[in-house]
Amino acid sequence: MSFTIFATAIISAMLINNVILSQFLGICPFLGVSKKSSAAIGMSAAVLFVMVISSAVTYTLYDLVLYQYGIPYISTIAFILVIASLVQFVEMFIKKTSKSLYKSLGIYLPLITTNCAILGVSEGNITNIWTETMPYWEGLFIAVSTAVGTGLGFGLIIFAFSSIREKLDASNVPAAWKGVPISLVVAGIMSLAFLGLAGII
């Protein structure tokens, strides 16, 4: 596998098919944890870690177990179990190493388990990448590359959005637009901006 394929998969998942602004997945942490940049960075790192590891594990699980034994129809349940286990590990690690970050993430940290962006990437790796004729290592490489790009794209957008929200909190915004309303307008404008990247790759 060449570096070109790796770079193309990352750029495509990160900017062109951004999981938040193009696919509208992971909106819950996008709106809930983006009030502070520090919390946004912590959430982004946790999501990136879980997304990459879960993509590698779920692709392997599907290719070597579920498909081989003729039970691919339980893939969603199996994938959720894998993601939930990884999230528990991340939650314990953050709680042990950074209690301030753990408190700032709050309920949104365990909600990574039900983050549709992570499950969407795992399922997308199967429907978009996996074929019977593709060698296992080649498919795994593309799946992990896509997960890295998606995780970086998630982090980029949530950090940019949190920075904008911090500026808005200090700005003279009309009372009716303060908080969630102006945040949703900004999210819509960001989505339109990224729509301009469609079709580049």
Side-chain angles (χ1 to χ4, degrees):
M1 299 296 291
S2 66
F3 175 76
T4 304
I5 296 175
F6 177 71
T8 302
I10 287 183
I11 293 171
S12 176
M14 183 177 177
L15 300 175
I16 299 168
N17 298 313
N18 187 273
V19 69
I20 294 176
L21 300 180
S22 297
Q23 301 178 41
F24 306 109
L25 299 175
I27 300 296
C28 179
F30 172 64
L31 294 174
V33 189
S34 58
K35 293 179 181 178
K36 292 184 179 179
S37 297
S38 57
I41 292 172
M43 175 60 77
S44 301
V47 167
L48 177 62
F49 174 80
V50 173
M51 192 173 286
V52 171
I53 302 299
S54 64
S55 292
V57 174
T58 54
Y59 188 89
T60 301
L61 180 67
Y62 187 91
D63 189 76
L64 302 182
V65 179
L66 301 183
Y67 179 78
Q68 297 297 331
Y69 288 94
I71 50 173
Y73 50 85
I74 66 165
S75 62
T76 302
I77 297 172
F79 292 178
I80 289 174
L81 290 174
V82 170
I83 294 167
S85 302
L86 288 169
V87 170
Q88 288 299 313
F89 171 76
V90 170
E91 187 175 1
M92 289 187 295
F93 178 78
I94 293 176
K95 189 175 182 179
K96 189 80 173 175
T97 57
S98 178
K99 295 202 174 182
S100 59
L101 177 59
Y102 180 79
K103 288 180 181 178
S104 66
L105 293 176
I107 188 64
Y108 295 100
L109 183 57
L111 278 179
I112 296 177
T113 303
T114 55
N115 188 336
C116 52
I118 297 174
L119 181 60
V121 171
S122 297
E123 290 283 359
N125 286 336
I126 303 305
T127 56
N128 299 331
I129 299 172
W130 192 87
T131 61
E132 296 178 43
T133 56
M134 180 181 289
Y136 164 72
W137 289 109
E138 183 177 338
L140 180 64
F141 179 81
I142 298 174
V144 170
S145 300
T146 303
V148 170
T150 304
L152 292 175
F154 180 91
L156 171 69
I157 297 306
I158 198 172
F159 177 73
F161 190 60
S162 66
S163 300
I164 294 171
R165 288 186 73 174
E166 287 178 351
K167 291 282 187 182
L168 287 173
D169 289 340
S171 301
N172 187 19
V173 179
W177 287 89
K178 281 188 177 180
V180 175
I182 192 66
S183 299
L184 292 176
V185 170
V186 170
I189 294 171
M190 291 175 68
S191 182
L192 287 172
F194 272 75
L195 188 63
L197 298 173
I200 291 178
I201 295 180

